[in-house]
Amino acid sequence: MNIFRLAGDMTHVASVLVLLLKIHTIKSCAGVSLKTQELYALVFASRYLDIFTSYVSFYNTVMKLIFLGSSFSIVWYMRHHKLVRRSYDKDHDTFRHFFIVLPCLILALLIHEKFTFIEVMWAFSLYLEAVAILPQLVLLQRTRNIDNLTGQYVFLLGAYRALYILNWVYRYFTEPHYVHWITWISGLIQTLLYADFFYYYFQSWKNNVKLELPA
């Protein structure tokens, strides 16, 4: 554990709390992509298959439970809560997200650290997480109406991954034989996907104007 890893985890948790705050308190999921939330639920379900068989630490187990529980809770809210689901913009959230699941699975079968079920699913979760934000970014570009909580949610998600890159750099220089190419490349691709959003987010913050993405 180092400060970059801890900051990344706390930023990730903060992003989830912001989204749950919006959904639970305001009873609205306007501007939130159900497609992205379903992909994240699949990411965590496939990544944490070892939650009951491999104990690393109390902290690690708690983080796994938080991300599993929150991701499926968000999907449930958006699909089944009688008030929240009314605000879901299904007309604009039309990204065919399941078409990116199969390529990620095939890539995981071809490129992995060890050919076991757990390790292949771990690689699959990394590849899928790298592109899971795409439906959300497409939705924001289509609607161009981004409220503060949704903007903060997406920003915190991108910031979490950027902090993890700093964590990997730190560990590379402080831990012998620390090399994980699959994790690094997937994380870098994921962070680059946020680059355009980060630019407009900081522009709106600097100029004190409403955040809008170009169509």
Side-chain angles (χ1 to χ4, degrees), residues 8-214:
D9 285 345
M10 293 304 102
T11 303
H12 197 180
V13 170
S15 72
V16 172
L17 290 177
V18 165
L19 186 53
L20 284 173
L21 175 67
K22 170 176 178 167
I23 292 175
H24 183 71
T25 305
I26 306 176
K27 297 295 187 293
S28 171
C29 63
V32 179
S33 170
L34 175 60
K35 314 288 188 176
T36 282
Q37 299 309 316
E38 288 175 339
L39 290 177
Y40 276 129
L42 183 56
V43 164
F44 297 126
S46 56
R47 178 172 301 172
Y48 299 142
L49 291 170
D50 64 345
I51 189 169
F52 298 114
T53 60
S54 178
Y55 180 80
V56 177
S57 67
F58 176 75
Y59 174 86
N60 183 269
T61 301
V62 169
M63 287 295 105
K64 289 178 179 180
L65 290 172
I66 287 174
F67 295 129
L68 279 169
S70 60
S71 60
F72 282 95
S73 295
I74 292 167
V75 171
W76 181 87
Y77 262 108
M78 295 183 68
R79 278 192 170 275
H80 301 294
H81 192 281
K82 62 181 180 180
L83 294 179
V84 175
R85 67 181 184 181
R86 292 178 186 172
S87 59
Y88 171 52
D89 187 1
K90 63 180 180 181
D91 292 331
H92 287 101
D93 190 24
T94 56
F95 191 101
R96 297 184 178 182
H97 58 323
F98 286 118
F99 282 129
I100 63 179
V101 173
L102 184 58
C104 289
L105 181 58
I106 294 173
L107 188 59
L109 288 168
L110 296 174
I111 305 175
H112 45 263
E113 292 190 354
K114 189 185 297 183
F115 191 61
T116 65
F117 178 71
I118 294 293
E119 288 297 327
V120 169
M121 287 296 99
W122 174 268
F124 166 69
S125 76
L126 292 174
Y127 299 141
L128 188 59
E129 186 183 13
V131 294
I133 196 62
L134 283 175
Q136 179 65 65
L137 295 176
V138 170
L139 175 61
L140 294 181
Q141 284 188 320
R142 286 176 176 173
T143 61
R144 302 189 65 191
N145 183 22
I146 309 171
D147 62 81
N148 288 335
L149 288 177
T150 303
Q152 290 170 11
Y153 163 68
V154 176
F155 171 77
L156 288 169
L157 266 183
Y160 129 73
R161 185 47 77 186
L163 286 166
Y164 253 64
I165 290 179
L166 295 178
N167 161 58
W168 298 330
V169 172
Y170 175 83
R171 293 184 65 182
Y172 178 78
F173 286 107
T174 58
E175 298 179 18
H177 313 297
Y178 179 73
V179 178
H180 294 282
W181 288 109
I182 293 176
T183 304
W184 294 351
I185 294 173
S186 299
L188 181 60
I189 292 172
Q190 183 179 352
T191 306
L192 289 174
L193 289 177
Y194 287 90
D196 191 56
F197 177 86
F198 281 156
Y199 172 78
Y200 289 102
Y201 185 89
F202 283 116
Q203 286 293 314
S204 70
W205 174 77
K206 184 177 70 172
N207 299 318
N208 195 27
V209 296
K210 186 176 178 61
L211 174 61
E212 288 187 359
L213 299 183

